[in-house]
């Protein structure tokens, strides 16, 4: 192993631990194999090229994995389908490696293109937490909601009212929806009383994904780790819903977009600015612009035109997420819930 290859090997070792913890033993085993290959200066080093020296947070190693996964899902790597859990395979990473290594030694364009494709998991499971926040804002204001999402990707969480939620006898959303969140809340329950009504929605993203574009669904599914069956199925169902529920997502930096959206607060609706696990990717200067725009709009908010800032972001230590909501008039901040990074139980504080 050369000194230059050591960080790549360590990156795959760390990723293996994360995948094993998050319910993808297939990727965990595959990452261990990739780490060993990097230590030998093997095929993965050449395939990653200039990206082999990138940092962990740049996630080019995950782009590589997603690129192979996308080929499998798209039917461009038939021999791997027998081993990838997401295509009904046996989950044998060692057997998969015998087919992946040749791909890495002579990477096809479909794999090389993955390095230019930013990771956008668009985690639908976060809607379980976010929906509780929307229910709280609607309950407190008695008004329908106007949604503005930062970092929308394909806008799947902008469509969260098209999913179904049920907790402690209360329910909200589309009862016929294939995407369902039932009895996930501990410590209490959000006010799912059926009065939450979304009347407008819009988002922004630097590289939004159009779910109606050919191959967009395969791209998003490729970012889910094989073996995470619930996440994969939930995303697939959400994509089907998205195709029948159009939304506008502007390809504009947030520090340009949000001040325009908050230049006026419409009467008779509660404006909710929300985001989930995106704040750390926004440059500090842009964060300051966002915070300033919210403060200025908050100063203009009133009972007939309230404003809420709802965010599901990592807690200190990155062990879980926190759902926090600041509302105007008044500027009161509340911790509403804690949850994991993808899906699962939500501890409701309310």
């Amino acid at each position: 192993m050369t000194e230059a290859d050591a960080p790549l090997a360590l990156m795959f070792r760390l990723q293996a631990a994360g995948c094993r913890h998050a319910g993808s033993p297939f990727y965990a085993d595959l990452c261990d194999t990739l780490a060993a290959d990097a230590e030998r200066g093997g095929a993965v080093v050449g395939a990653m090229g200039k990206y082999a020296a990138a940092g962990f947070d740049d996630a080019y190693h995950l782009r590589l994995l997603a690129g192979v996964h996308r080929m499998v899902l798209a039917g461009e790597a038939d021999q791997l389908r027998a081993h990838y859990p997401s295509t009904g395979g046996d989950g044998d990473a060692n057997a998969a490696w015998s087919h992946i290594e040749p791909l890495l030694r002579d990477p096809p364009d479909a794999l090389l293109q993955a390095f230019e494709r930013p990771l956008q998991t668009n985690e639908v499971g976060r809607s379980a937490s976010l929906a509780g926040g929307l229910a709280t804002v609607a309950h407190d204001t008695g008004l329908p909601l106007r949604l503005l999402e930062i970092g929308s990707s394909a806008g799947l969480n902008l469509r969260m009212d098209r999913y179904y939620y049920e907790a402690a006898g209360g329910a909200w959303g589309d009862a016929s929806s294939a995407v369902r969140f039932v009895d996930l809340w501990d410590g209490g329950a959000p006010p799912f009383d059926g009065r939450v009504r979304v009347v407008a929605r819009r988002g922004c993203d630097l590289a939004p994904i159009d779910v109606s574009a050919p191959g967009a669904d395969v791209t998003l599914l490729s970012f889910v780790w094989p073996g995470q069956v619930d996440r994969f199925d939930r995303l697939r169902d959400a994509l089907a819903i998205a195709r029948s529920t159009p939304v506008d997502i502007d390809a504009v930096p947030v520090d340009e977009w949000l001040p325009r959206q908050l230049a006026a607060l419409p009467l008779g609706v509660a404006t909710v600015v929300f985001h989930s696990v995106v704040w750390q990717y926004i440059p500090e200067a842009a964060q300051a612009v966002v915070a300033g725009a919210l403060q200025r709009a908050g100063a203009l908010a009133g009972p007939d035109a309230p404003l809420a800032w709802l965010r599901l972001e990592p807690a200190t230590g990155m062990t879980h997420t926190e759902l926090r909501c600041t509302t105007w008039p008044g500027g009161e901040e509340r911790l509403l819930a804690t949850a994991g990074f993808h899906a699962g139980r939500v501890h409701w504080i309310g």
Side-chain angles (χ1 to χ4, degrees):
M1 178 172 57
T2 69
E3 185 176 341
D5 299 335
L8 181 60
L10 176 60
M11 197 178 311
F12 278 115
R13 294 286 183 206
L14 291 172
Q15 192 62 58
C19 291
R20 192 165 282 112
H21 176 74
S24 182
F26 174 78
Y27 258 11
D29 292 344
L30 184 56
C31 284
D32 278 336
T33 300
L34 286 161
D37 186 69
E39 288 168 351
R40 295 189 296 268
V44 69
V45 177
M48 292 195 67
K50 64 182 181 180
Y51 303 111
F56 189 88
D57 289 343
D58 294 320
Y60 283 105
H61 64 299
L62 287 175
R63 297 190 196 194
L64 175 74
L65 290 171
V68 176
H69 193 195
R70 191 184 193 286
M71 292 180 65
V72 175
L73 295 173
E76 298 171 1
D78 288 341
Q79 292 176 310
L80 285 171
R81 293 180 67 86
H83 305 300
Y84 268 65
S86 49
T87 51
D90 57 17
D92 187 337
N94 288 329
W97 174 246
S98 67
H99 303 294
I100 292 173
E101 185 180 22
L103 277 179
L104 299 181
R105 292 201 178 280
D106 185 17
D109 288 342
L111 184 55
L112 295 175
Q113 289 166 4
F115 293 118
E116 308 301 325
R117 192 179 295 126
L119 295 178
Q120 297 193 33
T121 52
N122 210 152
E123 180 52 58
V124 181
R126 294 172 187 150
S127 282
S129 297
L130 292 167
L134 296 191
T136 299
V137 174
H139 179 271
D140 291 351
T141 64
L143 295 172
L145 307 179
R146 169 200 181 207
L147 305 184
L148 299 173
E149 185 184 22
I150 297 170
S152 296
S153 185
L156 301 185
N157 289 327
L158 263 175
R159 298 162 165 101
M160 71 179 87
D161 56 324
R162 299 299 192 260
Y163 313 146
Y164 179 71
Y165 312 84
E166 183 178 321
W172 174 58
D174 181 356
S176 66
S177 179
V179 179
R180 308 176 71 80
F181 303 97
V182 177
D183 295 333
L184 292 180
W185 292 265
D186 301 318
F192 291 141
D193 54 13
R195 291 184 294 174
V196 190
R197 187 162 61 96
V198 176
V199 294
R201 69 190 90 217
R202 196 174 194 98
C204 77
D205 196 281
L206 288 176
I209 293 177
D210 178 1
V211 296
S212 66
D217 54 346
V218 179
T219 295
L220 281 167
L221 288 167
S222 73
F223 296 140
V224 178
W225 300 346
Q228 294 180 319
V229 178
D230 290 343
R231 286 186 71 203
F232 193 89
D233 290 346
R234 188 183 301 113
L235 176 56
R236 183 193 57 209
D237 292 337
L239 285 165
I241 292 170
R243 285 190 283 271
S244 63
T245 309
V247 299
D248 290 319
I249 304 173
D250 302 313
V252 179
V254 64
D255 50 342
E256 296 179 19
W257 182 81
L258 191 62
R260 292 202 297 263
Q261 300 299 321
L262 296 181
L265 297 178
L267 293 173
V269 299
T271 296
V272 182
V273 176
F274 76 97
H275 50 85
S276 54
V277 194
V278 73
W279 192 249
Q280 69 264 36
Y281 302 114
I282 299 174
E284 289 186 8
Q287 289 180 1
V289 172
V290 169
L294 286 160
Q295 289 292 338
R296 288 191 298 274
L300 301 175
D304 294 331
L307 173 66
W309 181 20
L310 184 69
R311 60 266 192 206
L312 181 70
E313 296 293 343
T316 302
M318 299 290 288
T319 58
H320 61 278
T321 62
E322 294 180 338
L323 181 69
R324 293 184 176 273
C325 187
T326 304
T327 53
W328 293 270
E332 177 191 5
E333 178 182 318
R334 286 178 288 174
L335 173 62
L336 297 179
T338 59
F341 280 83
H342 298 127
R345 309 299 300 179
V346 179
H347 179 69
W348 186 253
I349 299 167

